């Protein structure tokens, strides 16, 4: 796949010069249990599972997955190569729910230390060589309530700085690093301005986020651009100096989900400001957001009605036209200079003096993570899905396989399955 580039507020395909719109799904099979250090598993460690899911995501029309928890000590070559051949990019969160593997919302200075940063750098090392690695998230909803706006911002921006420094020194290309925010409207746009402004006299501010993403569930069931307050989001982000997109969407307060927002997200109402979005989520967990229900016993998968509904919404759009748009001519929006005046919310930290790197981190950035994870694209012997897959009505789907795309080709929807639309039971 062509490694994408960031130019101003857009992702750009360097092969075509076209803008790229994320058509994504949150991918964490097994939920938090899908990442188990002791058992040596994470969502991108099982070739058979990745073959099954890549084939289904091709049918769905997805071109990007977001993976929340990965183990940099495992080998991901098979799964990364499968998704690469399927035309699907990967956005990787560098953190995990385990102690010492994320920046905490409470007293963030207590979790900002060398071994934590060493692990985030190891994730970069493990995935930097895959051409379909699209971006890294340095944090996810670390600012989650008003109390955390006072302490988290400088530390979160410092983590972004440290990861970008590592990318700059050890990666052959500039892989974007940014933040995935909670949709806390009281502080959302201050969070955005804090992370995307540029420090004075720095044209290439290493601490400035390369991308900004939003977990938003404001569109529920039958709604509109205005009712769902998408108009406020477009207005708030319209002059963004970096790409903005939904890192999660797909409210389930109204069931069944109809994914009506899809046609709006990729319409001219939004696509000049937003670069698409990631639907939450691929697998069915206790929170009831799944597109696919997985069996823990035989690793079989049953498509849920949400899968069919989402695919039907994607099918309404002209993807060739959407993905062939050129960025507008003229200068891109310039990042504002960081200053206390940018911050408007009472209690939100407006100090842009960032914490210095913890001891040993400068040496780690200079010398690299040891031992160094190494990833590479490898050959896959067989593209046929061996695990059982069932339609919503329980009928087994046979002959499913990953369609290996041509070089520089990105996945778009193609018909492989005739799926029953509802479960008669």
């Amino acid at each position: 796949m062509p490694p994408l580039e960031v130019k101003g507020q857009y992702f750009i395909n360097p092969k075509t010069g076209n803008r790229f719109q994320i058509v994504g799904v949150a991918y964490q099979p097994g939920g938090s249990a899908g990442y188990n250090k002791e058992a040596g598993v994470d969502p991108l460690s099982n070739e058979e599972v990745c073959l099954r899911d890549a084939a289904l995501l091709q049918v769905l029309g997805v071109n990007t997955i977001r993976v929340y928890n990965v183990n940099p000590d495992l080998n991901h070559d098979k799964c990364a190569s499968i998704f690469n051949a399927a035309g699907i990019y990967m956005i990787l969160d560098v953190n995990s729910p385990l102690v010492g593997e994320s920046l905490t919302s409470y007293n963030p200075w207590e979790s900002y230390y060398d071994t934590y940063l060493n692990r985030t750098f190891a994730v970069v090392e493990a995935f930097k060589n895959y051409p379909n690695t699209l971006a890294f998230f340095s944090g996810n909803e670390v600012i989650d309530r008003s109390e955390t706006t006072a302490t988290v911002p400088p530390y979160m921006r410092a983590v972004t700085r440290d990861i970008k420094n590592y990318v700059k020194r050890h990666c052959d290309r500039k892989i974007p690093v940014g933040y995935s925010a909670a949709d806390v409207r009281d502080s959302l746009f201050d969070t955005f301005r804090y992370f995307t402004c540029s420090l004075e006299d720095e044209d290439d501010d290493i601490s400035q986020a390369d991308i900004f993403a939003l977990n938003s569930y404001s569109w529920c069931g039958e709604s509109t651009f205005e009712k769902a307050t998408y108009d406020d989001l477009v207005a708030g982000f319209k002059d963004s100096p970096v790409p903005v997109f939904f890192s999660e969407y797909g409210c389930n307060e109204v069931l069944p989900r109809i994914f009506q927002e899809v046609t709006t997200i990729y319409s001219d109402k939004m696509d000049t400001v937003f670069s698409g979005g990631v639907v939450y989520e691929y697998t069915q967990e206790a929170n009831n957001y799944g597109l696919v229900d997985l069996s823990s016993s035989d690793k079989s998968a049953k498509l849920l009605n949400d899968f069919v509904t989402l695919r039907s919404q994607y099918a309404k759009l002209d993807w060739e036209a959407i993905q062939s748009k050129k960025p507008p001519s003229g200068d891109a929006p310039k990042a504002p200079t960081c200053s206390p005046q940018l911050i408007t919310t009472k209690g939100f930290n407006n100090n842009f003096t960032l914490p210095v790197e913890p001891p040993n981190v400068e040496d780690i950035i200079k010398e690299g993570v040891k031992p160094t994870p190494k990833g590479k694209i490898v050959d896959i012997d067989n593209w046929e899905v061996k695990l059982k897959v069932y339609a919503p009505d329980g009928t087994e789907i046979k002959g499913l396989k990953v369609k290996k795309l041509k070089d520089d080709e990105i996945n778009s929807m193609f018909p492989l399955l005739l799926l029953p639309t509802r479960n008669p039971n």
Side-chain angles (χ1 to χ4, degrees):
M1 294 180 69
L4 300 179
E5 298 175 355
V6 166
K7 292 187 178 179
Q9 61 188 140
Y10 301 119
F11 292 107
I12 300 296
N13 182 336
K15 299 289 185 178
T16 63
N18 296 337
R19 288 189 55 197
F20 173 77
Q21 287 281 327
I22 292 171
V23 186
V25 167
Y27 183 75
Q28 190 72 25
S32 58
Y35 169 67
N36 188 320
K37 290 180 67 175
E38 288 71 26
V41 296
D42 72 11
L44 298 173
S45 63
N46 187 305
E47 178 183 1
E48 286 190 341
V49 168
C50 290
L51 267 173
R52 176 199 67 197
D53 296 339
L56 291 174
L57 291 169
Q58 279 191 313
V59 173
L60 184 58
V62 163
N63 63 26
T64 306
I65 55 173
R66 176 188 179 179
V67 188
Y68 294 82
N69 311 136
V70 293
N71 184 344
D73 297 327
L74 301 180
N75 186 290
H76 303 100
D77 290 350
K78 293 286 189 179
C79 283
S81 300
I82 288 167
F83 284 111
N84 175 69
I88 297 173
Y89 290 100
M90 305 179 296
I91 299 174
L92 292 312
D93 287 69
V94 300
N95 300 293
S96 92
L98 300 184
V99 174
E101 296 187 358
S102 63
L103 188 74
T104 56
S105 298
Y106 179 75
N107 293 353
W109 53 89
E110 295 178 353
S111 55
Y112 181 64
Y113 48 83
D114 57 349
T115 54
Y116 158 62
L117 289 171
N118 186 81
R119 183 193 181 276
T120 72
F121 302 155
V123 173
V124 171
E125 281 287 359
F127 287 89
K128 69 178 186 181
N129 291 334
Y130 303 130
N132 57 327
T133 294
L134 175 56
F136 296 109
F137 280 140
S138 55
N140 178 62
E141 297 192 359
V142 187
I143 301 172
D144 57 355
R145 59 193 186 281
S146 59
E147 292 81 2
T148 57
T149 64
T151 55
V152 169
Y155 285 91
M156 193 67 257
R157 184 158 173 151
V159 172
T160 301
R161 172 200 65 197
D162 299 339
I163 297 172
K164 286 185 64 177
N165 267 323
Y166 195 91
V167 168
K168 185 176 182 179
R169 191 171 188 96
H170 295 281
C171 298
D172 293 334
R173 61 185 174 96
K174 187 177 180 180
I175 304 174
V177 180
Y179 181 70
S180 174
D183 191 0
V184 182
R185 292 297 171 92
D186 290 346
S187 58
L188 173 62
F189 295 115
D190 277 338
T191 301
F192 166 68
R193 288 186 285 266
Y194 192 97
F195 290 145
T196 61
C197 66
S198 180
L199 296 176
E200 192 173 2
D201 299 326
E202 291 191 31
D203 293 331
D204 184 20
D205 178 6
I206 200 69
S207 69
Q208 179 190 16
D210 298 316
I211 55 176
F212 188 86
L214 172 65
N215 300 335
S216 177
Y217 296 88
S218 62
W219 190 306
C220 295
E222 291 276 353
S223 193
T224 66
F225 180 66
E226 293 79 16
K227 183 179 177 182
T229 65
Y230 277 20
D231 56 341
D232 293 339
L233 295 177
V234 169
F237 293 126
K238 66 180 177 64
D239 294 321
S240 174
V242 302
V244 174
F245 59 96
F246 290 116
S247 41
E248 291 177 9
Y249 74 91
C251 171
N252 69 352
E253 290 180 8
V254 178
L255 295 174
R257 291 196 288 179
I258 58 175
F259 296 107
Q260 187 189 57
E261 64 267 44
V262 164
T263 52
T264 298
I265 291 171
Y266 299 98
S267 73
D268 56 9
K269 284 185 175 182
M270 296 191 70
D271 71 356
T272 56
V273 176
F274 275 73
S275 294
V278 174
V279 171
Y280 191 83
E281 64 178 318
Y282 181 69
T283 55
Q284 180 75 320
E285 308 296 341
N287 56 10
N288 196 32
Y289 281 93
L291 304 176
V292 176
D293 194 14
L294 303 182
S295 168
S296 58
S297 58
D298 64 356
K299 294 187 173 59
S300 64
K302 182 181 180 181
L303 306 186
L304 300 176
N305 291 319
D306 277 5
F307 184 101
V308 181
T309 303
L310 178 59
R311 189 178 189 278
S312 69
Q313 291 289 2
Y314 285 154
K316 295 177 181 179
L317 298 169
D318 183 347
W319 289 110
E320 185 175 353
I322 289 170
Q323 300 287 18
S324 63
K325 292 183 177 180
K326 300 291 183 183
S329 58
D331 295 334
K334 184 175 175 60
T337 300
C338 298
S339 71
Q341 287 69 39
L342 283 180
I343 307 303
T344 61
T345 306
K346 184 179 180 181
F348 196 107
N349 194 310
N350 63 5
N351 184 349
F352 291 92
T353 302
L354 305 183
V356 298
E357 298 164 346
N360 304 321
V361 170
E362 184 177 354
D363 289 338
I364 298 172
I365 292 176
K366 181 180 178 180
E367 299 172 9
V369 173
K370 300 290 189 298
T372 308
K374 293 293 185 184
K376 62 181 180 180
I377 296 297
V378 297
D379 292 331
I380 305 298
D381 296 330
N382 192 329
W383 297 100
E384 295 179 0
V385 175
K386 298 177 182 178
L387 301 175
K388 291 184 181 297
V389 177
Y390 300 94
D393 68 349
T395 304
E396 184 177 354
I397 300 169
K398 298 184 178 181
L400 186 64
K401 63 188 298 185
V402 170
K403 180 183 178 182
K404 186 179 179 182
L405 303 185
K406 299 176 183 177
D407 284 354
D408 298 330
E409 190 175 359
I410 299 169
N411 187 54
S412 191
M413 183 178 295
F414 58 89
L416 276 187
L417 305 175
L418 295 176
L419 301 175
T421 57
R422 302 296 299 173
N423 186 341
N425 300 319

